[in-house]
Amino acid sequence: MINVLFVCLGNICRSPLAEGIFSHKIKERGIENLFNVDSCGTSQYHIGEQPDPRTVANAKENGIILDHEARQFSKVDFKAFDYILAMDKANYDVIERHDQNQHYTDKFYLMRDFDPDFKGEDVPDPYFGGEAGFQHVFEIVDRSVDSFLEFLIKEHDIKESGAN
Ligand code: 4NP
């Protein structure tokens, strides 16, 4: 099992979107049984909430159904997950600080490390912006997740079943 965790601040916009897109793509490829996928936030702000209605509506327009209950990142996630992808540098830094003995650094990534267009930058936070921001974020996360999945397929020598 390959355990993948997407992390943002509130766990109601960017990381549940990344989780939803990733889950959709592995199902399309018939490889969903190989993965455990989850998302969380570094803050407590929205614990227990479903994703932001604007994120849900935008994802739906793009063919992705989101269903996730927000939860906060915890240290047990270091052991439970193999790939921990932060949506931005600020949240990456929070995760890094929790890993006081630097045992798990090899598991940490920035989502946009995998963005073929703009490497290493933040996925912008759409929470305080306008509707246009949500489609912009969708496109960034979609292409970053695509290339992350290609990376995993090579790294783990995954053979696609061709279910779709
Ligand atoms: P997210 O967006 O980190 O992508 O889920 C945010 C959601 C809520 C807040 C900030 C960012 N907030 O400040 O409540």
Side-chain angles (χ1 to χ4, degrees):
M1 189 67 80
I2 303 164
N3 302 288
V4 177
L5 181 65
F6 297 100
V7 186
C8 63
L9 178 62
N11 194 210
I12 55 169
C13 294
R14 293 164 293 176
S15 64
L17 177 65
E19 178 193 350
I21 293 174
F22 187 91
S23 299
H24 183 86
K25 288 183 192 289
I26 57 178
K27 277 196 196 105
E28 262 182 355
R29 289 165 181 254
I31 55 175
E32 72 273 26
N33 293 341
L34 301 177
F35 292 94
N36 166 39
V37 189
D38 196 9
S39 66
C40 68
T42 57
S43 78
Q44 311 179 6
Y45 304 147
H46 298 278
I47 292 172
E49 294 178 23
Q50 280 288 315
D52 187 298
R54 299 166 297 174
T55 297
V56 172
N58 175 261
K60 198 172 170 193
E61 279 167 24
N62 288 283
I64 308 289
I65 303 300
L66 301 185
D67 180 14
H68 176 78
E69 201 172 285
R71 72 170 179 88
Q72 189 175 25
F73 179 81
S74 117
K75 283 187 184 183
V76 298
D77 291 321
F78 285 135
K79 285 212 173 102
F81 291 92
D82 307 303
Y83 295 91
I84 300 176
L85 291 94
M87 295 297 128
D88 60 28
K89 189 73 174 70
N91 287 295
Y92 184 99
D93 290 347
V94 172
I95 295 165
E96 207 170 37
R97 279 201 297 276
H98 278 295
D99 179 26
Q100 282 150 346
N101 299 318
Q102 287 151 8
H103 274 149
Y104 302 105
T105 316
D106 290 353
K107 299 183 175 190
F108 306 162
Y109 299 85
L110 277 169
M111 182 80 264
R112 291 187 82 176
D113 284 343
F114 296 97
D115 184 343
D117 292 0
F118 306 94
K119 290 200 170 70
E121 294 172 34
D122 289 350
V123 178
D125 183 351
Y127 187 70
F128 296 108
E131 293 300 321
F134 287 86
Q135 185 59 25
H136 182 55
V137 165
F138 185 92
E139 287 165 18
I140 291 168
V141 173
D142 187 56
R143 65 176 185 250
S144 301
V145 164
D146 260 336
S147 87
F148 174 52
L149 188 51
E150 290 308 322
F151 161 81
L152 291 177
I153 286 169
K154 283 205 184 83
E155 189 74 10
H156 296 272
D157 199 19
I158 294 170
K159 305 281 184 275
E160 298 180 43
S161 77
N164 268 298

